[in-house]
Structures are given as structure tokens and as C-alpha cells.
Amino acid sequence: MTRLRCAILDDYMNLALGIADWAKVGDRVEVKVFNEPFASPEAAASALADFEIICAMRERTPFPRAMFAALPKLKLLITSGMRNAALDMEAAKDHQVVLCGTQFGRDPTAPLAMGLILELTRNIGRENARMHAGERLQKFVGIEIEGRTLGVVGLGKLGAKVSGLAKAFGMNVIAWSPNLTPERCEEVGVGYATKEQLFSTADFITIHVVLSQRSRGLVGAADLARMKPTSYLVNTARGPIVDEAALLETLQQRKIAGAAIDVFSVEPLPVDHLFRKLDNIVLTPHLGYVTEEGFRSHYSQMVEGIDAWLKGEPLRRLA
């Protein structure tokens, strides 16, 4: 029997084959792993032209309408997570591609957001690097986060989780999002603020809204200009939610104390990006969901999803 071809995309750390049991579909599917990002959409289309199944890791490889049109053999696309802003859902439907996802057991992004706040305020990574470099004495003076105000943009599951962690550190928490109500804030136990109040009063601002057409550029130059010179911005949501050019200018001119950014408009972040030249920004390569437990869950569910689709019973359909 001729086996179908399955592409596993963007497995940067070469984990996919060892962390899930692909032998469950090995008699029906031939699997190929792509460890590196594609150089261009054209390169992606060329490399994936002969695959009937694609397993995508979040939004690392975009699938706009043109990509679906370039892949006539594609029948099933499974993405990690149940939401992927880089997939053109209507185009997939028009090209009769079945879209499925995987579910998170729990989301580790909230602890990462707090870790970034601790790095900004206590310089753990910088002092570690200096110790390993042979520096004898410490260089950075930290600041305490207890008693300071955290402004949370987006009070869904993740925003609420971050709020709880921040309160455990003794922080005051306020929140805002376009549809947020005082009742939801009361339910979570945080203060309700307008957008203007949040950006002008918070010591730390952390982003936890979903990327959509409505939220692109939600945090713009005017919002950054309202921030205090002693305040920090943290983004572990999606890069395009924050106006990247405006943030770069704000940091270059040192209008705020700093930022910690885990997500970018273009990922991986280009090696010549000006963010890499700044000393008042903490950069991480989209670590929010990158855990052993998370990858094991996603890839195992991908195997499960392929098996179910082959039997005519797709699981966790997105559309």
C-alpha cells in the first residue's frame, strides 16, 4: 500500500519524532521532519508540494490563500493549539483541506511572563552571564515588584492566571481590554481601568489578548507615550499586537525603563533586527508554549489526529 506523506514543520529542536509515538501511523504515513524555517513562501511551497498531510507548529509557517493554492495534494493540516492566526481558514475550506488542532493541558505562558518581569527587575540572566564570564562583583541593582502595579491587557484565561501569580508576589493588579467589564475584573479580583489609566499608571504592562484583525496594533505609539519612564512592557502574546516600530523608537529614546518581548512580527527574529542592539530589552525566542510537556501533548495529539482522519473521523476540527 502506498503511504501518504506527512511533513512536520519547524521542529527547531528536533523533538517531534522522539517525543510522540509516530509508529502508530507508520504503516500508512511516511513522515519527514523540517527542522529549519523556510527561506520564503516560495521555498515552503516547493518543499511541501508532494505532501498530503502537514503538521504545523503554531504560526511559525504561515498558510495564506496562496500557499493552499500551491499545495494541491494537501488534504489534512493539523496545527498545535486550537487557534492559528497564520491559517487562512476560508482558503483551506475552498481547497478542501481539513483543518484540525491540538489542545493544551495547561498553558505555561503565564509563568514565563512573570519570569520576564523578574528578569527585568532583578537581572538574573545578565548577572549569570557575568558570573560565567569571570566577573567578580555584581553590576546591576534590582528593584522590588512587591507593591508595584501590574497592568494586564486582556483578562481571559491567561490574563487571569498572570494576575493570580502577580498577586502572590504582592503586586497590585489592574486590567483593561476592549470588551472587559468591571464585573469580570471583580470576578478575577483585580481593578478595572480604562486603557488610558492602565498605560499611564502601571509599573508593568503585560499583553494577553488573542491576535486578530481587531487586535493588530492594539498597543500603539500613543499608548507607549503614556507609560511612565520607570515602567516596563512585557509581550508574550503575539508580536503584531504591539506596534513594533513604535516600541523600537520608544526604547531607543529610553522613554520607558525597558521591555521583555517573547513574540515578534517576523519569527524567528531576524539576526540584524535592531531590537538585538538594545540593552534595555530582554529578548526570548517565543518560549511561551515551548515546554517538554507541551510538545509531548501536541505531537501525541497530532499522531492521534492523523490516525482518526485516516479512519474518516477527524478530531478537533477547526472548521
Side-chain angles (χ1 to χ4, degrees), residues 159-170:
K161 187 173 181 179
V162 170
S163 298
L165 293 174
K167 288 191 289 183
F169 278 94

Side-chain angles (χ1 to χ4, degrees), residues 77-156:
L77 192 154
I78 304 180
T79 177
S80 59
M82 292 300 293
R83 186 186 295 118
N84 188 330
L87 299 181
D88 188 324
M89 309 281 282
E90 288 301 315
K93 182 178 179 180
D94 292 345
H95 288 85
Q96 298 183 310
V97 176
V98 176
L99 292 182
C100 296
T102 64
Q103 295 174 327
F104 282 94
R106 54 182 181 266
D107 196 321
T109 303
L112 176 68
M114 289 306 303
L116 291 173
I117 290 172
L118 291 175
E119 174 58 33
L120 286 169
T121 55
R122 301 308 303 271
N123 298 288
I124 301 165
R126 292 181 181 184
E127 291 290 14
N128 173 65
R130 296 182 73 258
M131 292 284 284
H132 281 284
E135 297 289 345
R136 196 165 60 89
L137 302 174
Q138 71 185 71
K139 177 180 180 180
F140 299 99
V141 177
I143 64 172
E144 298 178 17
I145 63 173
E146 185 174 355
R148 296 183 187 265
T149 297
L150 177 67
V152 180
V153 177
L155 201 59

Side-chain angles (χ1 to χ4, degrees), residues 76-83 87 89 98-104 297-309 313-319:
L76 172 67
L77 192 154
I78 304 180
T79 177
S80 59
M82 292 300 293
R83 186 186 295 118
L87 299 181
M89 309 281 282
V98 176
L99 292 182
C100 296
T102 64
Q103 295 174 327
F104 282 94
S297 175
H298 289 312
Y299 286 125
S300 294
Q301 289 181 61
M302 286 177 179
V303 173
E304 180 186 39
I306 292 170
D307 182 53
W309 175 76
E313 302 170 352
L315 292 174
R316 296 177 290 272
R317 291 191 68 153
L318 301 183

